[in-house]
Short mmCIF file of all heavy atoms in Angstrom, two decimals:
data_model
loop_
_atom_site.label_atom_id
_atom_site.label_comp_id
_atom_site.label_asym_id
_atom_site.label_seq_id
_atom_site.Cartn_x
_atom_site.Cartn_y
_atom_site.Cartn_z
N PHE A 38 -43.08 20.12 -8.60
CA PHE A 38 -43.47 19.72 -7.29
C PHE A 38 -44.90 19.22 -7.31
O PHE A 38 -45.77 19.78 -7.95
CB PHE A 38 -43.36 20.96 -6.36
CG PHE A 38 -43.85 20.74 -4.94
CD1 PHE A 38 -42.96 20.19 -4.05
CD2 PHE A 38 -45.16 21.02 -4.64
CE1 PHE A 38 -43.43 20.03 -2.74
CE2 PHE A 38 -45.62 20.87 -3.36
CZ PHE A 38 -44.78 20.34 -2.36
N PRO A 39 -45.16 18.06 -6.67
CA PRO A 39 -44.31 17.20 -5.84
C PRO A 39 -43.64 15.99 -6.53
O PRO A 39 -43.34 15.01 -5.90
CB PRO A 39 -45.26 16.82 -4.76
CG PRO A 39 -46.55 16.58 -5.54
CD PRO A 39 -46.57 17.62 -6.51
N MET A 40 -43.48 16.11 -7.86
CA MET A 40 -42.77 15.01 -8.56
C MET A 40 -41.43 15.48 -8.99
O MET A 40 -40.86 15.17 -10.08
CB MET A 40 -43.61 14.58 -9.78
CG MET A 40 -44.76 13.60 -9.53
SD MET A 40 -46.19 14.44 -8.81
CE MET A 40 -46.66 15.53 -10.20
N ASP A 41 -40.72 16.24 -8.14
CA ASP A 41 -39.51 16.86 -8.58
C ASP A 41 -38.30 16.09 -8.13
O ASP A 41 -38.37 15.28 -7.20
CB ASP A 41 -39.46 18.35 -8.00
CG ASP A 41 -39.67 18.36 -6.44
OD1 ASP A 41 -40.35 17.41 -6.00
OD2 ASP A 41 -39.07 19.17 -5.82
N CYS A 42 -37.19 16.32 -8.79
CA CYS A 42 -35.87 15.85 -8.51
C CYS A 42 -34.95 17.02 -8.29
O CYS A 42 -34.97 17.91 -9.01
CB CYS A 42 -35.38 15.00 -9.59
SG CYS A 42 -33.68 14.35 -9.36
N GLN A 43 -34.18 17.01 -7.15
CA GLN A 43 -33.37 18.23 -6.72
C GLN A 43 -31.98 17.87 -6.77
O GLN A 43 -31.54 16.74 -6.39
CB GLN A 43 -33.93 18.70 -5.43
CG GLN A 43 -35.33 19.20 -5.37
CD GLN A 43 -35.60 20.39 -6.29
OE1 GLN A 43 -34.66 21.05 -6.66
NE2 GLN A 43 -36.87 20.65 -6.59
N GLU A 44 -31.09 18.81 -7.00
CA GLU A 44 -29.67 18.72 -6.85
C GLU A 44 -29.29 19.40 -5.57
O GLU A 44 -29.70 20.52 -5.28
CB GLU A 44 -28.95 19.47 -8.07
CG GLU A 44 -29.11 18.90 -9.42
CD GLU A 44 -28.45 19.60 -10.46
OE1 GLU A 44 -28.04 20.78 -10.23
OE2 GLU A 44 -28.19 19.08 -11.54
N LEU A 45 -28.59 18.66 -4.74
CA LEU A 45 -28.01 19.25 -3.56
C LEU A 45 -26.54 19.52 -3.75
O LEU A 45 -25.73 18.55 -3.82
CB LEU A 45 -28.24 18.26 -2.37
CG LEU A 45 -29.65 17.83 -2.02
CD1 LEU A 45 -29.77 16.90 -0.91
CD2 LEU A 45 -30.55 19.10 -1.86
N THR A 46 -26.14 20.70 -3.92
CA THR A 46 -24.85 21.16 -4.37
C THR A 46 -24.00 21.73 -3.26
O THR A 46 -24.43 22.62 -2.57
CB THR A 46 -25.00 22.10 -5.48
OG1 THR A 46 -25.88 21.58 -6.57
CG2 THR A 46 -23.62 22.38 -6.06
N VAL A 47 -22.77 21.18 -3.13
CA VAL A 47 -21.77 21.85 -2.30
C VAL A 47 -20.71 22.45 -3.33
O VAL A 47 -20.09 21.75 -4.09
CB VAL A 47 -21.10 20.83 -1.40
CG1 VAL A 47 -19.93 21.50 -0.63
CG2 VAL A 47 -22.08 20.22 -0.37
N THR A 48 -20.62 23.82 -3.24
CA THR A 48 -19.78 24.53 -4.19
C THR A 48 -18.42 24.90 -3.55
O THR A 48 -18.45 25.63 -2.53
CB THR A 48 -20.44 25.71 -4.81
OG1 THR A 48 -21.67 25.26 -5.37
CG2 THR A 48 -19.67 26.43 -5.78
N LEU A 49 -17.32 24.50 -4.10
CA LEU A 49 -16.03 25.02 -3.71
C LEU A 49 -15.57 26.02 -4.59
O LEU A 49 -15.81 26.07 -5.79
CB LEU A 49 -14.98 23.76 -3.73
CG LEU A 49 -15.38 22.46 -3.06
CD1 LEU A 49 -14.24 21.47 -3.24
CD2 LEU A 49 -15.75 22.57 -1.66
N MET A 50 -14.84 27.02 -4.04
CA MET A 50 -14.26 28.07 -4.86
C MET A 50 -12.91 28.49 -4.27
O MET A 50 -12.68 28.44 -3.07
CB MET A 50 -15.09 29.38 -4.83
CG MET A 50 -14.75 30.46 -5.81
SD MET A 50 -15.74 31.95 -5.85
CE MET A 50 -15.22 32.67 -4.31
N SER A 51 -11.97 28.78 -5.13
CA SER A 51 -10.60 29.11 -4.74
C SER A 51 -10.53 30.71 -4.66
O SER A 51 -11.14 31.37 -5.59
CB SER A 51 -9.52 28.60 -5.66
OG SER A 51 -8.26 29.14 -5.36
N ASP A 52 -9.84 31.23 -3.71
CA ASP A 52 -9.63 32.68 -3.67
C ASP A 52 -8.52 33.13 -4.59
O ASP A 52 -8.33 34.37 -4.79
CB ASP A 52 -9.25 33.16 -2.25
CG ASP A 52 -10.55 33.10 -1.40
OD1 ASP A 52 -11.59 33.14 -1.84
OD2 ASP A 52 -10.33 33.04 -0.16
N TRP A 53 -7.85 32.16 -5.26
CA TRP A 53 -6.89 32.51 -6.37
C TRP A 53 -7.73 32.60 -7.63
O TRP A 53 -8.76 32.03 -7.80
CB TRP A 53 -5.87 31.45 -6.50
CG TRP A 53 -4.90 31.25 -5.34
CD1 TRP A 53 -4.85 30.19 -4.48
CD2 TRP A 53 -3.89 32.12 -4.85
NE1 TRP A 53 -3.90 30.31 -3.57
CE2 TRP A 53 -3.26 31.54 -3.78
CE3 TRP A 53 -3.39 33.41 -5.29
CZ2 TRP A 53 -2.23 32.08 -3.05
CZ3 TRP A 53 -2.41 33.95 -4.64
CH2 TRP A 53 -1.80 33.34 -3.56
N THR A 54 -7.29 33.35 -8.52
CA THR A 54 -8.00 33.55 -9.81
C THR A 54 -7.76 32.28 -10.65
O THR A 54 -6.95 31.40 -10.44
CB THR A 54 -7.49 34.77 -10.60
OG1 THR A 54 -6.05 34.57 -11.04
CG2 THR A 54 -7.56 36.01 -9.68
N ASP A 55 -8.55 32.20 -11.78
CA ASP A 55 -8.39 31.09 -12.64
C ASP A 55 -7.08 31.01 -13.48
O ASP A 55 -6.82 30.14 -14.17
CB ASP A 55 -9.64 30.95 -13.61
CG ASP A 55 -9.80 32.20 -14.48
OD1 ASP A 55 -9.05 33.23 -14.14
OD2 ASP A 55 -10.54 32.14 -15.43
N ARG A 56 -6.37 32.10 -13.39
CA ARG A 56 -5.06 32.15 -13.97
C ARG A 56 -4.03 31.47 -13.12
O ARG A 56 -2.89 31.12 -13.55
CB ARG A 56 -4.56 33.63 -14.28
CG ARG A 56 -5.45 34.33 -15.23
CD ARG A 56 -4.76 35.64 -15.66
NE ARG A 56 -4.79 36.46 -14.53
CZ ARG A 56 -5.72 37.38 -14.15
NH1 ARG A 56 -6.89 37.40 -14.85
NH2 ARG A 56 -5.60 38.12 -13.02
N VAL A 57 -4.33 31.19 -11.87
CA VAL A 57 -3.38 30.61 -10.92
C VAL A 57 -3.80 29.18 -10.56
O VAL A 57 -2.95 28.21 -10.49
CB VAL A 57 -3.34 31.39 -9.60
CG1 VAL A 57 -2.42 30.72 -8.57
CG2 VAL A 57 -2.86 32.77 -9.88
N VAL A 58 -5.18 28.87 -10.46
CA VAL A 58 -5.59 27.53 -10.01
C VAL A 58 -6.62 27.06 -10.92
O VAL A 58 -7.46 27.76 -11.49
CB VAL A 58 -6.20 27.63 -8.59
CG1 VAL A 58 -6.93 26.37 -8.17
CG2 VAL A 58 -5.07 27.96 -7.52
N GLU A 59 -6.57 25.73 -11.18
CA GLU A 59 -7.58 25.02 -11.96
C GLU A 59 -7.91 23.75 -11.22
O GLU A 59 -7.24 23.04 -10.75
CB GLU A 59 -7.07 24.65 -13.33
CG GLU A 59 -7.94 23.85 -14.16
CD GLU A 59 -7.37 23.35 -15.45
OE1 GLU A 59 -5.98 23.31 -15.44
OE2 GLU A 59 -7.94 22.88 -16.39
N PHE A 60 -9.40 23.60 -11.07
CA PHE A 60 -9.84 22.50 -10.36
C PHE A 60 -10.20 21.30 -11.40
O PHE A 60 -10.60 21.59 -12.53
CB PHE A 60 -11.18 22.80 -9.70
CG PHE A 60 -11.06 23.60 -8.43
CD1 PHE A 60 -11.95 24.58 -8.11
CD2 PHE A 60 -10.04 23.33 -7.56
CE1 PHE A 60 -11.76 25.41 -7.01
CE2 PHE A 60 -9.82 24.02 -6.40
CZ PHE A 60 -10.66 25.12 -6.14
N ARG A 61 -9.88 20.08 -10.97
CA ARG A 61 -10.11 18.89 -11.79
C ARG A 61 -10.60 17.74 -10.84
O ARG A 61 -10.30 17.80 -9.68
CB ARG A 61 -8.91 18.46 -12.52
CG ARG A 61 -8.61 19.27 -13.83
CD ARG A 61 -7.47 18.68 -14.62
NE ARG A 61 -7.05 19.52 -15.74
CZ ARG A 61 -6.10 19.27 -16.53
NH1 ARG A 61 -5.41 18.16 -16.33
NH2 ARG A 61 -5.83 20.07 -17.59
N LYS A 62 -11.30 16.80 -11.45
CA LYS A 62 -11.74 15.61 -10.76
C LYS A 62 -10.49 14.74 -10.49
O LYS A 62 -9.68 14.50 -11.41
CB LYS A 62 -12.71 14.82 -11.55
CG LYS A 62 -13.00 13.43 -11.06
CD LYS A 62 -13.83 13.41 -9.80
CE LYS A 62 -14.00 11.93 -9.30
NZ LYS A 62 -12.86 11.40 -8.67
N ASP A 63 -10.31 14.26 -9.28
CA ASP A 63 -9.23 13.34 -8.96
C ASP A 63 -9.57 11.97 -9.56
O ASP A 63 -10.51 11.31 -9.08
CB ASP A 63 -9.07 13.27 -7.48
CG ASP A 63 -7.78 12.51 -7.00
OD1 ASP A 63 -7.20 11.82 -7.90
OD2 ASP A 63 -7.37 12.66 -5.86
N MET A 64 -8.82 11.56 -10.46
CA MET A 64 -9.04 10.31 -11.27
C MET A 64 -8.48 9.10 -10.57
O MET A 64 -8.45 7.98 -11.11
CB MET A 64 -8.61 10.38 -12.62
CG MET A 64 -9.27 11.41 -13.50
SD MET A 64 -11.01 11.24 -13.63
CE MET A 64 -11.04 9.78 -14.72
N THR A 65 -7.86 9.27 -9.36
CA THR A 65 -7.39 8.04 -8.66
C THR A 65 -8.33 7.45 -7.68
O THR A 65 -8.12 6.32 -7.23
CB THR A 65 -6.07 8.44 -7.85
OG1 THR A 65 -6.43 9.45 -6.85
CG2 THR A 65 -5.00 9.01 -8.76
N ARG A 66 -9.36 8.16 -7.31
CA ARG A 66 -10.39 7.64 -6.42
C ARG A 66 -11.77 8.10 -6.87
O ARG A 66 -11.99 9.10 -7.48
CB ARG A 66 -10.17 8.17 -5.00
CG ARG A 66 -8.97 7.67 -4.32
CD ARG A 66 -9.13 6.27 -3.74
NE ARG A 66 -10.13 6.28 -2.76
CZ ARG A 66 -9.94 6.49 -1.47
NH1 ARG A 66 -8.74 6.89 -1.04
NH2 ARG A 66 -10.96 6.45 -0.53
N MET A 67 -12.76 7.16 -6.66
CA MET A 67 -14.16 7.51 -7.00
C MET A 67 -14.83 8.25 -5.92
O MET A 67 -14.73 7.90 -4.72
CB MET A 67 -14.87 6.20 -7.29
CG MET A 67 -16.18 6.31 -8.02
SD MET A 67 -15.84 7.02 -9.68
CE MET A 67 -17.53 7.51 -10.15
N ASP A 68 -15.63 9.26 -6.28
CA ASP A 68 -16.45 9.97 -5.26
C ASP A 68 -17.60 9.12 -4.86
O ASP A 68 -18.08 8.20 -5.69
CB ASP A 68 -16.98 11.28 -5.93
CG ASP A 68 -15.89 12.21 -6.31
OD1 ASP A 68 -14.80 12.26 -5.63
OD2 ASP A 68 -16.09 12.92 -7.29
N ASN A 69 -18.13 9.24 -3.65
CA ASN A 69 -19.18 8.36 -3.23
C ASN A 69 -20.09 9.10 -2.25
O ASN A 69 -19.72 10.22 -1.74
CB ASN A 69 -18.62 7.11 -2.56
CG ASN A 69 -17.85 7.44 -1.30
OD1 ASN A 69 -18.42 7.63 -0.18
ND2 ASN A 69 -16.48 7.50 -1.42
N VAL A 70 -21.32 8.59 -2.08
CA VAL A 70 -22.31 9.07 -1.15
C VAL A 70 -22.88 7.93 -0.36
O VAL A 70 -23.09 6.80 -0.86
CB VAL A 70 -23.43 9.80 -1.86
CG1 VAL A 70 -24.10 8.86 -2.94
CG2 VAL A 70 -24.40 10.37 -0.87
N ARG A 71 -22.98 8.14 0.95
CA ARG A 71 -23.49 7.02 1.85
C ARG A 71 -24.98 7.05 2.08
O ARG A 71 -25.51 8.15 2.39
CB ARG A 71 -22.71 7.16 3.22
CG ARG A 71 -21.26 6.97 3.12
CD ARG A 71 -20.60 7.02 4.57
NE ARG A 71 -19.14 6.94 4.45
CZ ARG A 71 -18.38 7.00 5.54
NH1 ARG A 71 -18.89 7.15 6.70
NH2 ARG A 71 -17.03 6.86 5.39
N HIS A 72 -25.59 6.03 1.81
CA HIS A 72 -27.08 5.93 1.91
C HIS A 72 -27.53 5.63 3.35
O HIS A 72 -28.59 6.01 3.80
CB HIS A 72 -27.62 4.86 0.94
CG HIS A 72 -27.67 5.29 -0.45
ND1 HIS A 72 -26.40 5.25 -1.15
CD2 HIS A 72 -28.64 5.68 -1.25
CE1 HIS A 72 -26.78 5.71 -2.43
NE2 HIS A 72 -28.09 5.94 -2.49
N GLU A 73 -26.69 4.97 4.11
CA GLU A 73 -27.10 4.45 5.41
C GLU A 73 -27.25 5.70 6.42
O GLU A 73 -27.88 5.52 7.42
CB GLU A 73 -26.14 3.44 6.02
CG GLU A 73 -24.70 3.98 6.24
CD GLU A 73 -23.81 3.81 4.99
OE1 GLU A 73 -24.38 3.54 3.90
OE2 GLU A 73 -22.63 3.97 5.11
N THR A 74 -26.61 6.81 6.13
CA THR A 74 -26.70 8.02 6.99
C THR A 74 -27.64 9.13 6.44
O THR A 74 -27.61 10.14 6.97
CB THR A 74 -25.31 8.56 7.18
OG1 THR A 74 -24.74 8.87 5.95
CG2 THR A 74 -24.48 7.60 7.96
N PHE A 75 -28.40 8.75 5.44
CA PHE A 75 -29.33 9.72 4.82
C PHE A 75 -30.50 9.87 5.83
O PHE A 75 -31.21 8.95 6.12
CB PHE A 75 -29.84 9.16 3.46
CG PHE A 75 -30.74 10.08 2.78
CD1 PHE A 75 -30.39 11.40 2.57
CD2 PHE A 75 -31.96 9.67 2.24
CE1 PHE A 75 -31.27 12.27 1.88
CE2 PHE A 75 -32.82 10.56 1.61
CZ PHE A 75 -32.45 11.85 1.37
N THR A 76 -30.75 11.10 6.29
CA THR A 76 -31.67 11.38 7.29
C THR A 76 -32.99 11.85 6.82
O THR A 76 -33.89 12.09 7.66
CB THR A 76 -31.08 12.48 8.31
OG1 THR A 76 -30.89 13.66 7.54
CG2 THR A 76 -29.83 11.97 8.93
N ALA A 77 -33.18 11.93 5.52
CA ALA A 77 -34.45 12.46 4.97
C ALA A 77 -35.19 11.34 4.17
O ALA A 77 -35.88 11.60 3.24
CB ALA A 77 -34.29 13.67 4.08
N VAL A 78 -35.01 10.10 4.62
CA VAL A 78 -35.51 8.94 3.88
C VAL A 78 -36.99 8.96 3.79
O VAL A 78 -37.62 8.32 2.85
CB VAL A 78 -34.97 7.62 4.48
CG1 VAL A 78 -35.54 7.42 5.84
CG2 VAL A 78 -35.20 6.43 3.61
N HIS A 79 -37.77 9.45 4.69
CA HIS A 79 -39.17 9.43 4.68
C HIS A 79 -39.78 10.35 3.59
O HIS A 79 -40.85 10.20 3.17
CB HIS A 79 -39.74 9.77 5.99
CG HIS A 79 -39.42 8.87 7.16
ND1 HIS A 79 -39.84 7.53 7.12
CD2 HIS A 79 -38.54 9.00 8.18
CE1 HIS A 79 -39.31 6.85 8.23
NE2 HIS A 79 -38.58 7.76 8.85
#
């Protein structure tokens, strides 16, 4: 700080155990982030 770079993380978790559910990236669509609605631009 104040030359830092931060990760803003949204974490998903399943209430099933890892023996029942496995998460993977959906390879049919690309994830994206919108810049025009970024409210902390200053």
